[in-house]
Amino acid sequence: MKLRYLLRPTLWLIPLALALLLGGCHRPEPLPFRLTNVTGHMPPLEFTLTNDEGKTVSASHYRGKVVLLYFGYTHCPDVCPLTLAHLHVVMQRLGKLADGARILFVTVDPGRDTPAILHGYVKAFDSHAIGLTGSPGDIEALVKRYRASFTREPATTDGNYEVSHSSAIYVFDRQGNPRVLSTPADSQDDLVHDLHLLLSNGAS
Amino acid sequence: MKICTLPLLLAGLMLAAGAHASAATHVTATQGWIRILPGKLPAGAYVTLTNSSDQAEALSGASSAAYAEVMLHQSSTQGGVSRMYKVKSLKIPAHGTASLTPGGYHLMLMKAVRAVKPGDIVKITLRFSDGSSLVSDFIARPANAMGASD
């Protein structure tokens, strides 16, 4: 009799614990990030674009990987290469863990950036980098989804034009949830630190 | 006879150097490098310029036999947006330095005459506002390099 009394409240706790566990699946576990934490402030990664091998890919293709999303263009000789060179160093510093990460370089200049040009470009920086292109509408939708921006300056006589673009790197966890934002002002150490947290966490 | 050859040669060299009255002697260029991108993509060139004179100087232009077009540009990142501008000149203070570095001032090299590979040395002529110029060596580096040497 006494035992039953003791068990009863415990039995009530089981569904409660289950509910808490299930609830936890919708909200990513808080992690001690150093970069700007954007968890819950941006929508999950979603797109359908063409990769640098000419294949159609969607965001679900990269579920299970920690994704670093960056908007740029290949005719950018200074800032984009600097960012990608930095990310290459970051990947090297992560060592074996870097295999769980992908750098997605989305061009905001699909008119000039074909999959083949993108392929040569991203692979010159890092083996974990993938170039993505698509229709101007699909790219614009992705840019807007993350409140990023880009503008195209008027073309010069020889058809060359400059593009301005968001400088941030958006970092998503293995489930495609946005977690941190890295800007050029942030230190490389902080990005390595936060990627370490995400890559060591929930490895699939 | 042989003894005379060296001084003569030296005198000839000095004359040759003197003939280039516009050669800059007050500005030196160090750590010149180019980030080579694949295919026909434009490349960024970087260098540190040191002005040893009492007068401020300015880099006003550049050219190279290896590229059809060379432009002085500046990148800036403000309000989360990166941009690139064409600039007329870059000041080099008296007894000071000016640096062309990734994310800041750079020479944009366009339309390579022939493919430039990492390891190649490219000569770039730097022109200054006083009318003088300086031919400087730039080392071609891979896309993911962080400087003239890693």
Side-chain angles (χ1 to χ4, degrees), chain A residues 116-144:
Chain A
I117 288 174
L118 276 170
H119 185 81
Y121 186 80
V122 298
K123 297 302 176 198
F125 291 96
D126 195 86
S127 60
H128 304 92
I130 293 149
L132 295 173
T133 185
S135 73
D138 285 346
I139 288 167
E140 208 177 315
L142 186 61
V143 166
K144 280 200 175 134

PDB file of all heavy atoms in Angstrom, chain A residues 116-144:
ATOM      1  N   ALA A 116      30.313  26.057 -63.130  1.00  0.00           N
ATOM      2  CA  ALA A 116      31.724  25.738 -63.400  1.00  0.00           C
ATOM      3  C   ALA A 116      32.666  26.803 -62.836  1.00  0.00           C
ATOM      4  O   ALA A 116      33.692  26.477 -62.217  1.00  0.00           O
ATOM      5  CB  ALA A 116      31.938  25.584 -64.900  1.00  0.00           C
ATOM      6  N   ILE A 117      32.307  28.081 -63.014  1.00  0.00           N
ATOM      7  CA  ILE A 117      33.141  29.169 -62.480  1.00  0.00           C
ATOM      8  C   ILE A 117      33.141  29.107 -60.953  1.00  0.00           C
ATOM      9  O   ILE A 117      34.189  29.220 -60.302  1.00  0.00           O
ATOM     10  CB  ILE A 117      32.653  30.544 -63.002  1.00  0.00           C
ATOM     11  CG1 ILE A 117      33.014  30.686 -64.490  1.00  0.00           C
ATOM     12  CG2 ILE A 117      33.245  31.697 -62.188  1.00  0.00           C
ATOM     13  CD1 ILE A 117      32.474  31.935 -65.167  1.00  0.00           C
ATOM     14  N   LEU A 118      31.960  28.860 -60.382  1.00  0.00           N
ATOM     15  CA  LEU A 118      31.841  28.763 -58.924  1.00  0.00           C
ATOM     16  C   LEU A 118      32.673  27.599 -58.375  1.00  0.00           C
ATOM     17  O   LEU A 118      33.305  27.716 -57.333  1.00  0.00           O
ATOM     18  CB  LEU A 118      30.376  28.554 -58.526  1.00  0.00           C
ATOM     19  CG  LEU A 118      29.512  29.809 -58.416  1.00  0.00           C
ATOM     20  CD1 LEU A 118      28.059  29.413 -58.250  1.00  0.00           C
ATOM     21  CD2 LEU A 118      29.959  30.669 -57.232  1.00  0.00           C
ATOM     22  N   HIS A 119      32.655  26.494 -59.107  1.00  0.00           N
ATOM     23  CA  HIS A 119      33.384  25.304 -58.667  1.00  0.00           C
ATOM     24  C   HIS A 119      34.882  25.607 -58.533  1.00  0.00           C
ATOM     25  O   HIS A 119      35.485  25.352 -57.496  1.00  0.00           O
ATOM     26  CB  HIS A 119      33.146  24.142 -59.638  1.00  0.00           C
ATOM     27  CG  HIS A 119      33.771  22.857 -59.198  1.00  0.00           C
ATOM     28  ND1 HIS A 119      33.167  22.029 -58.269  1.00  0.00           N
ATOM     29  CD2 HIS A 119      34.944  22.273 -59.523  1.00  0.00           C
ATOM     30  CE1 HIS A 119      33.956  20.991 -58.052  1.00  0.00           C
ATOM     31  NE2 HIS A 119      35.039  21.114 -58.804  1.00  0.00           N
ATOM     32  N   GLY A 120      35.445  26.183 -59.612  1.00  0.00           N
ATOM     33  CA  GLY A 120      36.872  26.517 -59.593  1.00  0.00           C
ATOM     34  C   GLY A 120      37.195  27.495 -58.482  1.00  0.00           C
ATOM     35  O   GLY A 120      38.219  27.385 -57.805  1.00  0.00           O
ATOM     36  N   TYR A 121      36.293  28.443 -58.282  1.00  0.00           N
ATOM     37  CA  TYR A 121      36.491  29.500 -57.286  1.00  0.00           C
ATOM     38  C   TYR A 121      36.495  28.947 -55.867  1.00  0.00           C
ATOM     39  O   TYR A 121      37.465  29.117 -55.132  1.00  0.00           O
ATOM     40  CB  TYR A 121      35.388  30.537 -57.465  1.00  0.00           C
ATOM     41  CG  TYR A 121      35.521  31.777 -56.617  1.00  0.00           C
ATOM     42  CD1 TYR A 121      36.372  32.806 -56.981  1.00  0.00           C
ATOM     43  CD2 TYR A 121      34.760  31.940 -55.467  1.00  0.00           C
ATOM     44  CE1 TYR A 121      36.478  33.969 -56.226  1.00  0.00           C
ATOM     45  CE2 TYR A 121      34.857  33.093 -54.695  1.00  0.00           C
ATOM     46  CZ  TYR A 121      35.718  34.104 -55.084  1.00  0.00           C
ATOM     47  OH  TYR A 121      35.817  35.242 -54.321  1.00  0.00           O
ATOM     48  N   VAL A 122      35.413  28.257 -55.476  1.00  0.00           N
ATOM     49  CA  VAL A 122      35.324  27.808 -54.066  1.00  0.00           C
ATOM     50  C   VAL A 122      36.383  26.762 -53.724  1.00  0.00           C
ATOM     51  O   VAL A 122      36.940  26.760 -52.632  1.00  0.00           O
ATOM     52  CB  VAL A 122      33.917  27.317 -53.663  1.00  0.00           C
ATOM     53  CG1 VAL A 122      32.894  28.432 -53.783  1.00  0.00           C
ATOM     54  CG2 VAL A 122      33.479  26.098 -54.452  1.00  0.00           C
ATOM     55  N   LYS A 123      36.669  25.873 -54.688  1.00  0.00           N
ATOM     56  CA  LYS A 123      37.642  24.811 -54.392  1.00  0.00           C
ATOM     57  C   LYS A 123      39.068  25.364 -54.271  1.00  0.00           C
ATOM     58  O   LYS A 123      39.938  24.713 -53.721  1.00  0.00           O
ATOM     59  CB  LYS A 123      37.579  23.700 -55.445  1.00  0.00           C
ATOM     60  CG  LYS A 123      36.237  22.972 -55.510  1.00  0.00           C
ATOM     61  CD  LYS A 123      35.827  22.322 -54.178  1.00  0.00           C
ATOM     62  CE  LYS A 123      34.440  21.688 -54.286  1.00  0.00           C
ATOM     63  NZ  LYS A 123      33.808  21.416 -52.992  1.00  0.00           N
ATOM     64  N   ALA A 124      39.297  26.567 -54.825  1.00  0.00           N
ATOM     65  CA  ALA A 124      40.624  27.191 -54.678  1.00  0.00           C
ATOM     66  C   ALA A 124      40.845  27.635 -53.232  1.00  0.00           C
ATOM     67  O   ALA A 124      41.973  27.906 -52.827  1.00  0.00           O
ATOM     68  CB  ALA A 124      40.744  28.380 -55.624  1.00  0.00           C
ATOM     69  N   PHE A 125      39.756  27.708 -52.463  1.00  0.00           N
ATOM     70  CA  PHE A 125      39.869  28.144 -51.070  1.00  0.00           C
ATOM     71  C   PHE A 125      39.843  26.979 -50.093  1.00  0.00           C
ATOM     72  O   PHE A 125      40.728  26.851 -49.251  1.00  0.00           O
ATOM     73  CB  PHE A 125      38.742  29.129 -50.737  1.00  0.00           C
ATOM     74  CG  PHE A 125      38.891  30.437 -51.447  1.00  0.00           C
ATOM     75  CD1 PHE A 125      38.233  30.678 -52.634  1.00  0.00           C
ATOM     76  CD2 PHE A 125      39.732  31.415 -50.937  1.00  0.00           C
ATOM     77  CE1 PHE A 125      38.396  31.876 -53.309  1.00  0.00           C
ATOM     78  CE2 PHE A 125      39.908  32.610 -51.601  1.00  0.00           C
ATOM     79  CZ  PHE A 125      39.235  32.843 -52.792  1.00  0.00           C
ATOM     80  N   ASP A 126      38.816  26.142 -50.197  1.00  0.00           N
ATOM     81  CA  ASP A 126      38.680  25.081 -49.198  1.00  0.00           C
ATOM     82  C   ASP A 126      37.841  23.926 -49.727  1.00  0.00           C
ATOM     83  O   ASP A 126      36.850  24.141 -50.427  1.00  0.00           O
ATOM     84  CB  ASP A 126      38.034  25.651 -47.924  1.00  0.00           C
ATOM     85  CG  ASP A 126      38.193  24.713 -46.745  1.00  0.00           C
ATOM     86  OD1 ASP A 126      39.237  24.796 -46.073  1.00  0.00           O
ATOM     87  OD2 ASP A 126      37.303  23.869 -46.526  1.00  0.00           O
ATOM     88  N   SER A 127      38.237  22.709 -49.339  1.00  0.00           N
ATOM     89  CA  SER A 127      37.533  21.521 -49.825  1.00  0.00           C
ATOM     90  C   SER A 127      36.135  21.384 -49.221  1.00  0.00           C
ATOM     91  O   SER A 127      35.305  20.644 -49.735  1.00  0.00           O
ATOM     92  CB  SER A 127      38.353  20.265 -49.514  1.00  0.00           C
ATOM     93  OG  SER A 127      38.532  20.149 -48.120  1.00  0.00           O
ATOM     94  N   HIS A 128      35.863  22.128 -48.126  1.00  0.00           N
ATOM     95  CA  HIS A 128      34.538  22.053 -47.498  1.00  0.00           C
ATOM     96  C   HIS A 128      33.582  23.082 -48.085  1.00  0.00           C
ATOM     97  O   HIS A 128      32.451  23.205 -47.610  1.00  0.00           O
ATOM     98  CB  HIS A 128      34.641  22.285 -45.992  1.00  0.00           C
ATOM     99  CG  HIS A 128      35.575  21.338 -45.308  1.00  0.00           C
ATOM    100  ND1 HIS A 128      36.897  21.635 -45.108  1.00  0.00           N
ATOM    101  CD2 HIS A 128      35.381  20.100 -44.827  1.00  0.00           C
ATOM    102  CE1 HIS A 128      37.477  20.618 -44.513  1.00  0.00           C
ATOM    103  NE2 HIS A 128      36.585  19.667 -44.325  1.00  0.00           N
ATOM    104  N   ALA A 129      34.055  23.856 -49.073  1.00  0.00           N
ATOM    105  CA  ALA A 129      33.227  24.931 -49.637  1.00  0.00           C
ATOM    106  C   ALA A 129      32.461  24.447 -50.857  1.00  0.00           C
ATOM    107  O   ALA A 129      32.981  23.679 -51.674  1.00  0.00           O
ATOM    108  CB  ALA A 129      34.099  26.129 -49.997  1.00  0.00           C
ATOM    109  N   ILE A 130      31.210  24.902 -50.954  1.00  0.00           N
ATOM    110  CA  ILE A 130      30.337  24.555 -52.073  1.00  0.00           C
ATOM    111  C   ILE A 130      29.761  25.852 -52.627  1.00  0.00           C
ATOM    112  O   ILE A 130      29.286  26.696 -51.869  1.00  0.00           O
ATOM    113  CB  ILE A 130      29.207  23.602 -51.608  1.00  0.00           C
ATOM    114  CG1 ILE A 130      29.804  22.251 -51.202  1.00  0.00           C
ATOM    115  CG2 ILE A 130      28.151  23.408 -52.704  1.00  0.00           C
ATOM    116  CD1 ILE A 130      29.047  21.548 -50.128  1.00  0.00           C
ATOM    117  N   GLY A 131      29.823  26.005 -53.941  1.00  0.00           N
ATOM    118  CA  GLY A 131      29.247  27.190 -54.578  1.00  0.00           C
ATOM    119  C   GLY A 131      27.808  26.908 -54.956  1.00  0.00           C
ATOM    120  O   GLY A 131      27.486  25.816 -55.415  1.00  0.00           O
ATOM    121  N   LEU A 132      26.925  27.874 -54.730  1.00  0.00           N
ATOM    122  CA  LEU A 132      25.515  27.702 -55.082  1.00  0.00           C
ATOM    123  C   LEU A 132      25.051  28.872 -55.940  1.00  0.00           C
ATOM    124  O   LEU A 132      25.375  30.023 -55.662  1.00  0.00           O
ATOM    125  CB  LEU A 132      24.641  27.617 -53.823  1.00  0.00           C
ATOM    126  CG  LEU A 132      24.849  26.423 -52.890  1.00  0.00           C
ATOM    127  CD1 LEU A 132      24.024  26.597 -51.624  1.00  0.00           C
ATOM    128  CD2 LEU A 132      24.493  25.109 -53.577  1.00  0.00           C
ATOM    129  N   THR A 133      24.301  28.549 -56.994  1.00  0.00           N
ATOM    130  CA  THR A 133      23.712  29.584 -57.825  1.00  0.00           C
ATOM    131  C   THR A 133      22.254  29.218 -58.085  1.00  0.00           C
ATOM    132  O   THR A 133      21.795  28.179 -57.597  1.00  0.00           O
ATOM    133  CB  THR A 133      24.514  29.784 -59.126  1.00  0.00           C
ATOM    134  OG1 THR A 133      23.952  30.896 -59.844  1.00  0.00           O
ATOM    135  CG2 THR A 133      24.509  28.555 -60.030  1.00  0.00           C
ATOM    136  N   GLY A 134      21.554  30.053 -58.804  1.00  0.00           N
ATOM    137  CA  GLY A 134      20.149  29.775 -59.068  1.00  0.00           C
ATOM    138  C   GLY A 134      19.532  30.918 -59.843  1.00  0.00           C
ATOM    139  O   GLY A 134      20.252  31.797 -60.325  1.00  0.00           O
ATOM    140  N   SER A 135      18.218  30.917 -59.927  1.00  0.00           N
ATOM    141  CA  SER A 135      17.543  32.007 -60.631  1.00  0.00           C
ATOM    142  C   SER A 135      17.665  33.255 -59.763  1.00  0.00           C
ATOM    143  O   SER A 135      17.743  33.151 -58.537  1.00  0.00           O
ATOM    144  CB  SER A 135      16.076  31.657 -60.842  1.00  0.00           C
ATOM    145  OG  SER A 135      15.392  31.739 -59.612  1.00  0.00           O
ATOM    146  N   PRO A 136      17.691  34.448 -60.384  1.00  0.00           N
ATOM    147  CA  PRO A 136      17.775  35.673 -59.579  1.00  0.00           C
ATOM    148  C   PRO A 136      16.688  35.722 -58.503  1.00  0.00           C
ATOM    149  O   PRO A 136      16.948  36.153 -57.382  1.00  0.00           O
ATOM    150  CB  PRO A 136      17.593  36.782 -60.612  1.00  0.00           C
ATOM    151  CG  PRO A 136      18.080  36.188 -61.900  1.00  0.00           C
ATOM    152  CD  PRO A 136      17.699  34.732 -61.835  1.00  0.00           C
ATOM    153  N   GLY A 137      15.495  35.206 -58.818  1.00  0.00           N
ATOM    154  CA  GLY A 137      14.395  35.218 -57.851  1.00  0.00           C
ATOM    155  C   GLY A 137      14.655  34.325 -56.648  1.00  0.00           C
ATOM    156  O   GLY A 137      14.401  34.716 -55.511  1.00  0.00           O
ATOM    157  N   ASP A 138      15.179  33.121 -56.911  1.00  0.00           N
ATOM    158  CA  ASP A 138      15.467  32.182 -55.816  1.00  0.00           C
ATOM    159  C   ASP A 138      16.580  32.720 -54.914  1.00  0.00           C
ATOM    160  O   ASP A 138      16.534  32.539 -53.696  1.00  0.00           O
ATOM    161  CB  ASP A 138      15.892  30.818 -56.388  1.00  0.00           C
ATOM    162  CG  ASP A 138      14.698  30.044 -56.953  1.00  0.00           C
ATOM    163  OD1 ASP A 138      13.548  30.441 -56.667  1.00  0.00           O
ATOM    164  OD2 ASP A 138      14.927  29.060 -57.682  1.00  0.00           O
ATOM    165  N   ILE A 139      17.567  33.372 -55.526  1.00  0.00           N
ATOM    166  CA  ILE A 139      18.674  33.929 -54.740  1.00  0.00           C
ATOM    167  C   ILE A 139      18.174  35.101 -53.903  1.00  0.00           C
ATOM    168  O   ILE A 139      18.483  35.197 -52.712  1.00  0.00           O
ATOM    169  CB  ILE A 139      19.861  34.308 -55.646  1.00  0.00           C
ATOM    170  CG1 ILE A 139      20.535  33.019 -56.142  1.00  0.00           C
ATOM    171  CG2 ILE A 139      20.864  35.200 -54.906  1.00  0.00           C
ATOM    172  CD1 ILE A 139      21.500  33.196 -57.264  1.00  0.00           C
ATOM    173  N   GLU A 140      17.368  35.943 -54.530  1.00  0.00           N
ATOM    174  CA  GLU A 140      16.819  37.089 -53.808  1.00  0.00           C
ATOM    175  C   GLU A 140      15.969  36.634 -52.618  1.00  0.00           C
ATOM    176  O   GLU A 140      16.026  37.226 -51.545  1.00  0.00           O
ATOM    177  CB  GLU A 140      15.996  37.947 -54.766  1.00  0.00           C
ATOM    178  CG  GLU A 140      15.979  39.400 -54.348  1.00  0.00           C
ATOM    179  CD  GLU A 140      15.227  40.280 -55.329  1.00  0.00           C
ATOM    180  OE1 GLU A 140      15.453  40.119 -56.544  1.00  0.00           O
ATOM    181  OE2 GLU A 140      14.427  41.092 -54.866  1.00  0.00           O
ATOM    182  N   ALA A 141      15.216  35.551 -52.828  1.00  0.00           N
ATOM    183  CA  ALA A 141      14.371  35.032 -51.742  1.00  0.00           C
ATOM    184  C   ALA A 141      15.235  34.590 -50.561  1.00  0.00           C
ATOM    185  O   ALA A 141      14.898  34.868 -49.399  1.00  0.00           O
ATOM    186  CB  ALA A 141      13.525  33.871 -52.260  1.00  0.00           C
ATOM    187  N   LEU A 142      16.360  33.926 -50.850  1.00  0.00           N
ATOM    188  CA  LEU A 142      17.244  33.464 -49.779  1.00  0.00           C
ATOM    189  C   LEU A 142      17.908  34.647 -49.073  1.00  0.00           C
ATOM    190  O   LEU A 142      18.018  34.677 -47.845  1.00  0.00           O
ATOM    191  CB  LEU A 142      18.306  32.509 -50.352  1.00  0.00           C
ATOM    192  CG  LEU A 142      19.210  31.826 -49.335  1.00  0.00           C
ATOM    193  CD1 LEU A 142      18.417  30.956 -48.368  1.00  0.00           C
ATOM    194  CD2 LEU A 142      20.284  30.987 -50.031  1.00  0.00           C
ATOM    195  N   VAL A 143      18.320  35.637 -49.865  1.00  0.00           N
ATOM    196  CA  VAL A 143      18.938  36.850 -49.303  1.00  0.00           C
ATOM    197  C   VAL A 143      17.944  37.525 -48.351  1.00  0.00           C
ATOM    198  O   VAL A 143      18.298  37.888 -47.226  1.00  0.00           O
ATOM    199  CB  VAL A 143      19.368  37.812 -50.441  1.00  0.00           C
ATOM    200  CG1 VAL A 143      19.682  39.199 -49.901  1.00  0.00           C
ATOM    201  CG2 VAL A 143      20.578  37.258 -51.193  1.00  0.00           C
ATOM    202  N   LYS A 144      16.698  37.643 -48.792  1.00  0.00           N
ATOM    203  CA  LYS A 144      15.664  38.304 -47.981  1.00  0.00           C
ATOM    204  C   LYS A 144      15.341  37.500 -46.727  1.00  0.00           C
ATOM    205  O   LYS A 144      15.093  38.061 -45.673  1.00  0.00           O
ATOM    206  CB  LYS A 144      14.398  38.494 -48.810  1.00  0.00           C
ATOM    207  CG  LYS A 144      14.501  39.686 -49.738  1.00  0.00           C
ATOM    208  CD  LYS A 144      13.121  40.167 -50.177  1.00  0.00           C
ATOM    209  CE  LYS A 144      13.225  41.438 -51.001  1.00  0.00           C
ATOM    210  NZ  LYS A 144      12.389  41.365 -52.197  1.00  0.00           N
TER     211      LYS A 144
END
